[in-house]
Amino acid sequence: MTQRLHTGRVLVVEGKYDAARLARLTDAMILLTGGFAVFSDKKRQRLLKQLARHNGLILLTDSDKAGFQIRTYITNLVGAEHVVQAYIPALPGKEKRKAAPGKEGLLGVEGVPDEVVLRSLREALGPEADQPAPPKEGRAVTYADLYDWGLSGTAGAAERKYRLLGALGLPPRLSKKEMLEVFNRLYTFEQLDDLLRRLEEPET
């Protein structure tokens, strides 16, 4: 059985299939660039900068030209001192879900064997590999808190979620899992609880 990689850094990948694949291999927080969408998404750029300062990033993009363009852009955006670069080899082939290979005929992150991906991550992290994130002060935000705050599973949850994410300057389309992980990386329970109470107060 493959041993999962533990790290406190945030793992940045290009797309949802990469993220789904990596979630089986590591307990790292995984954040998507949405491909080239990150070039124009100001809120996702801001989030990447915040997470880079707080936790540091691991960049794992495809080995084609587009992957390197995204890698270079994010490195310059957040500062190279906050980034660890992990590379997959340029292996010819196509992913099973695709009818035809990509433009350069190379496997993306989602198609490279598990042991190759894990080796690239461990080599990039060096002595940091398998060191979990340091414990956070105060209690963690949970899925139950999202429900209690009316951000999930209740009437009007989507509107309240967008309001809160907007007030925090975060991307509005964060999934529930991404939202919970971002909250636990960047804020305390008390900070979020206080902000939500203020957002719910009627305007005078």
Side-chain angles (χ1 to χ4, degrees):
M1 182 176 177
T2 303
Q3 184 180 358
R4 296 182 86 209
L5 173 73
H6 304 288
T7 176
R9 286 183 180 263
V10 176
L11 177 57
V12 179
V13 296
E14 292 180 52
K16 63 181 181 180
Y17 294 103
D18 299 332
R21 194 314 183 52
L22 268 294
R24 295 188 290 105
L25 303 179
T26 177
D27 60 4
M29 176 185 171
I30 300 172
L31 194 65
L32 281 62
T33 70
F36 287 142
V38 72
F39 293 176
S40 57
D41 189 337
K42 299 300 183 186
K43 289 187 175 180
R44 190 157 295 262
Q45 292 171 18
R46 183 172 180 268
L47 177 57
L48 284 166
K49 290 178 183 178
Q50 288 178 290
L51 291 169
R53 288 195 302 270
H54 277 78
N55 301 98
L57 307 181
I58 315 172
L59 293 187
L60 183 64
T61 60
D62 293 347
S63 56
D64 58 8
K65 180 180 178 181
F68 273 83
Q69 287 176 324
I70 292 168
R71 181 188 296 275
T72 300
Y73 178 83
I74 293 175
T75 301
N76 291 336
L77 175 74
V78 306
E81 68 275 16
H82 299 302
V83 176
V84 165
Q85 307 283 355
Y87 300 93
I88 58 168
L91 300 176
K94 74 172 186 67
E95 287 74 22
K96 291 179 181 178
R97 68 179 178 85
K98 295 181 179 178
K103 188 186 297 184
E104 296 179 34
L106 301 175
L107 286 174
V109 168
E110 66 169 289
V112 174
D114 288 355
E115 61 273 16
V116 175
V117 172
L118 282 170
R119 184 168 64 244
S120 72
L121 290 173
R122 291 186 191 281
E123 288 176 351
L125 287 167
E128 275 188 44
D130 291 315
Q131 291 184 13
K136 180 185 170 186
E137 292 184 11
R139 80 166 180 80
V141 179
T142 66
Y143 284 112
D145 293 324
L146 299 185
Y147 179 83
D148 290 342
W149 285 332
L151 299 175
S152 172
T154 59
E159 182 183 342
R160 278 188 290 273
K161 170 189 167 183
Y162 290 139
R163 244 174 108 199
L164 175 61
L165 294 178
L168 294 170
L170 295 173
R173 299 194 181 279
L174 290 178
S175 69
K176 186 163 67 171
K177 182 174 185 291
E178 286 178 324
M179 184 168 64
L180 187 68
E181 290 181 321
V182 168
F183 286 172
N184 276 314
R185 297 282 176 148
L186 299 178
Y187 307 100
T188 65
F189 170 87
E190 291 75 19
Q191 286 174 326
L192 292 169
D193 192 55
D194 179 64
L195 176 57
L196 278 157
R197 290 179 192 280
R198 284 188 279 116
L199 288 174
E200 291 296 323
E201 289 175 357
E203 295 182 8
T204 56

